[in-house]
């Protein structure tokens, strides 16, 4: 797996948008509908771009929420991601899967958003009431709510590289090779980052699970 | 693995099924013997399950739709759908930052107060002279008045107005009295005979302006804020 010039830790603003490196992704989509959609979007078809956006919006927003722990900030970061995608559309290789670029840019945008926010963690209010509303046993609901809050908070306190690796491996179920491809890193690096993140998470959640 | 059988990284990789088969077998054998590592492995497995069960938050679909609509609105090139052309915000300088803005506003207010104070306390020779019909009708008194108060003859004659009424005398006479009393910016001089005469004439004028039997006209003393500015001239080399 080749690594790109994009450093995951680098702020998104510092990432050269020329870094859409087709060598990163061995999978091509020249024969897939996605390739034709990308070409139509490059030709200025806004509906085609909307199709492209709908194909990736859900995993991107979910990734941003899990990285940031706040739905509003995740929404802003995802919108910024697609605006940047639109700006760099002409330089995108239509025959390649845009997922690695999207995942890496999303991770960088989340890193920037967290830096702007500082280390203060704002627990989203929606995450507090929701489990209590659906659970039958109040004690169990309270335990679920606390556990969910603790998980979200502990995730947000992880270093962003480890957080990205844990989110992709343990939450979204990507394989180590797939996570490495999406993050533009090596498989061994992603594995060690994920392991360190799991252990750090366990220390943060000690006794809460 | 053999040197450090209790390495927590290996346990974490084992739980995530990231080890090669022979390494996984060794860790498995170690876990059967080590209670603390078994506890760590069970905690990591529990944590992994909890992470997988973490579902999307409420409002996720609405946020998704709002994000999509917002992005498309910003990308739509048609003028009706596009956002209004927002010019880039002017860079806010450090001097006009939110921290310094109250200081500038306070300085501007202080400047206004000082300016107004200086205007109201300006020297008498620049102020509009007394205009009374009595003085206009009596050139001799007018001459005495102007000599005593250093008022140029030309300006006094220019402002003497035949339309002035008795009420004008009632209003302007106290002002003149105060100005004569204060005289802050004029050089000190010994009160001359002419000034004393002038003051007596002014008092007589005020008394004559009042109708007989009424109370004398109230004397209003103009109150101006007393702002004193201490200017300390820096001395090179310090004060000995």
């Amino acid at each position: 797996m080749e690594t790109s010039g994009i450093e995951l830790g680098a702020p998104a603003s510092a990432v050269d948008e020329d870094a859409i490196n087709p060598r990163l992704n061995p999978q091509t989509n020249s024969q897939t509908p996605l390739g034709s959609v990308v070409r139509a979007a490059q030709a200025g078809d806004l509906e085609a771009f909307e199709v492209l956006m709908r194909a990736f919006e859900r995993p991107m927003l979910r990734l941003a929420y899990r990285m940031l722990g706040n739905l509003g900030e995740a929404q802003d970061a995802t919108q910024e991601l697609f605006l940047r995608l639109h700006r760099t559309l002409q330089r995108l290789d239509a025959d390649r899967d845009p997922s690695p670029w999207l995942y890496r840019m999303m991770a960088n945008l989340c890193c920037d958003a967290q830096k702007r926010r500082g280390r203060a963690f704002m627990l989203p209010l929606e995450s507090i009431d929701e489990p209590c509303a659906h659970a039958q046993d109040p004690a169990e609901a309270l335990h679920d709510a606390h556990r969910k809050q603790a998980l979200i908070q502990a995730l947000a306190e992880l270093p962003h590289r480890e957080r990205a690796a844990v989110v992709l491996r343990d939450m979204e179920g990507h394989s180590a090779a797939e996570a490495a491809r999406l993050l533009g890193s090596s498989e061994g690096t992603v594995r060690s980052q994920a392991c360190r993140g799991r252990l750090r998470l366990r220390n943060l959640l000690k006794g809460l699970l | 693995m053999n040197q450090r059988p209790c390495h927590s990284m290996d346990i974490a990789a084992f739980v995530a099924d990231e080890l090669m088969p022979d390494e996984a077998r060794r860790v498995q054998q170690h876990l059967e013997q080590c209670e603390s590592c078994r506890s760590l492995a069970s905690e990591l497995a529990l944590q992994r399950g909890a992470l997988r069960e973490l579902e999307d938050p409420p409002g996720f679909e609405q946020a998704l739709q709002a994000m999509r609509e917002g992005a498309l609105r910003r990308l739509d090139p048609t003028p009706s759908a596009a956002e209004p052309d927002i010019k880039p915000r002017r860079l806010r300088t450090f001097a006009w930052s939110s921290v310094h803005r109250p200081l500038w506003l306070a300085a501007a207010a202080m400047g206004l107060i000082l300016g107004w104070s200086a205007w109201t306390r300006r020297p008498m020779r620049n102020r509009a002279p007394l205009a009374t019909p009595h003085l206009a009708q009596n050139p001799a008194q007018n001459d005495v008045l102007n000599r005593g108060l250093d008022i140029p003859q030309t300006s006094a004659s220019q402002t003497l107005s035949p339309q002035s009424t008795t009420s004008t005398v009632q209003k302007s006479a106290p002002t003149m009295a105060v100005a004569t009393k204060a005289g802050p910016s004029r050089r000190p001089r010994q009160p001359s005979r002419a000034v004393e005469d002038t003051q007596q004439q002014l008092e007589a004028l005020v008394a004559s302006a009042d109708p007989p039997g009424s109370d004398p006209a109230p004397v209003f003393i103009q109150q101006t804020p007393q702002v004193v500015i201490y200017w300390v001239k820096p001395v090179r080399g310090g004060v000995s």
Side-chain angles (χ1 to χ4, degrees), chain A residues 107-185:
Chain A
N108 288 331
L109 284 170
C110 291
C111 178
D112 285 357
Q114 200 173 25
K115 280 180 185 172
R116 278 197 303 272
R117 183 178 65 191
R119 294 197 62 82
F121 179 78
M122 292 180 292
L123 190 66
L125 287 175
E126 63 266 21
S127 69
I128 297 175
D129 296 329
E130 185 267 338
C132 299
H134 296 293
Q136 299 295 325
D137 185 11
E140 185 185 350
L142 194 62
H143 177 69
D144 282 348
H146 285 167
R147 191 175 65 168
K148 188 175 178 180
Q149 289 174 33
L151 268 174
I152 294 171
Q153 190 163 0
L155 260 178
E157 290 181 11
L158 290 182
H160 70 279
R161 293 166 190 255
E162 297 175 9
R163 186 167 63 238
V166 168
V167 167
L168 290 182
R169 288 282 292 121
D170 293 350
M171 299 182 78
E172 301 197 352
H174 292 286
S175 68
E178 180 73 8
R181 184 179 73 84
L182 293 174
L183 296 176
S185 183

Side-chain angles (χ1 to χ4, degrees), chain A residues 1-208:
Chain A
M1 173 66 63
E2 296 180 10
T3 56
S4 73
I6 297 178
E7 188 71 20
L8 182 61
S13 54
V15 173
D16 185 7
E17 290 170 344
D18 280 324
I20 306 171
N21 189 351
R23 295 176 304 164
L24 251 180
N25 187 6
Q27 298 177 359
T28 59
N29 57 345
S30 57
Q31 303 303 321
T32 60
L34 194 60
S36 58
V37 168
V38 171
R39 269 186 282 273
Q42 285 173 337
D45 187 355
L46 197 60
E47 291 182 2
F49 184 77
E50 184 179 353
V51 171
L52 185 65
M53 202 164 69
R54 282 178 184 271
F56 289 100
E57 63 183 6
R58 192 174 295 272
M60 289 299 109
L61 183 62
R62 189 174 291 135
L63 174 67
Y65 172 69
R66 289 170 175 174
M67 295 279 287
L68 292 170
N70 183 292
L71 194 56
E73 289 181 347
Q75 181 182 332
D76 292 343
T78 311
Q79 190 176 96
E80 178 63 26
L81 171 77
F82 285 113
L83 292 175
R84 289 191 183 204
L85 174 66
H86 189 266
R87 281 203 297 269
T88 58
L89 207 54
Q90 298 302 325
R91 285 179 274 179
L92 197 69
D93 189 352
D95 296 333
R96 305 279 175 177
D97 183 11
S99 301
W101 186 88
L102 288 170
Y103 271 84
R104 274 178 290 144
M105 184 59 81
M106 190 78 253
N108 288 331
L109 284 170
C110 291
C111 178
D112 285 357
Q114 200 173 25
K115 280 180 185 172
R116 278 197 303 272
R117 183 178 65 191
R119 294 197 62 82
F121 179 78
M122 292 180 292
L123 190 66
L125 287 175
E126 63 266 21
S127 69
I128 297 175
D129 296 329
E130 185 267 338
C132 299
H134 296 293
Q136 299 295 325
D137 185 11
E140 185 185 350
L142 194 62
H143 177 69
D144 282 348
H146 285 167
R147 191 175 65 168
K148 188 175 178 180
Q149 289 174 33
L151 268 174
I152 294 171
Q153 190 163 0
L155 260 178
E157 290 181 11
L158 290 182
H160 70 279
R161 293 166 190 255
E162 297 175 9
R163 186 167 63 238
V166 168
V167 167
L168 290 182
R169 288 282 292 121
D170 293 350
M171 299 182 78
E172 301 197 352
H174 292 286
S175 68
E178 180 73 8
R181 184 179 73 84
L182 293 174
L183 296 176
S185 183
S186 69
E187 199 173 326
T189 303
V190 168
R191 278 182 180 159
S192 64
Q193 285 172 346
C195 285
R196 274 199 296 274
R198 288 172 196 133
L199 291 172
R200 204 187 298 270
L201 205 57
R202 177 243 179 191
N203 290 333
L204 291 169
L205 296 171
K206 192 169 278 185
L208 291 175

Side-chain angles (χ1 to χ4, degrees), chain B residues 3-91:
Chain B
Q3 290 81 12
R4 294 183 300 171
C6 283
H7 200 292
S8 55
M9 290 282 283
D10 294 331
I11 310 278
F14 173 78
V15 170
D17 199 16
E18 290 178 342
L19 292 178
M20 300 299 287
D22 55 338
E23 289 177 321
R25 203 176 310 114
R26 285 180 202 161
V27 173
Q28 178 70 40
Q29 289 171 357
H30 174 74
L31 287 178
E32 291 170 359
Q33 300 165 0
C34 182
E35 176 65 29
S36 62
C37 287
R38 207 162 44 241
S39 171
L40 173 62
S42 66
E43 283 183 31
L44 288 173
L46 190 66
Q47 171 184 297
R48 189 175 163 86
L51 286 173
R52 292 220 174 204
E53 288 173 3
L54 205 61
E55 69 270 14
D56 294 335
F60 185 83
E61 295 299 327
Q62 290 86 344
L64 201 64
Q65 187 176 358
M67 184 278 302
R68 187 193 316 124
E69 289 173 354
L72 290 175
R73 195 166 49 245
R74 291 174 69 177
L75 292 174
D76 196 342
T78 57
S80 58
E83 284 184 339
D85 186 20
I86 301 172
K87 293 182 179 176
R89 191 177 57 185
R90 195 179 63 176
L91 285 180

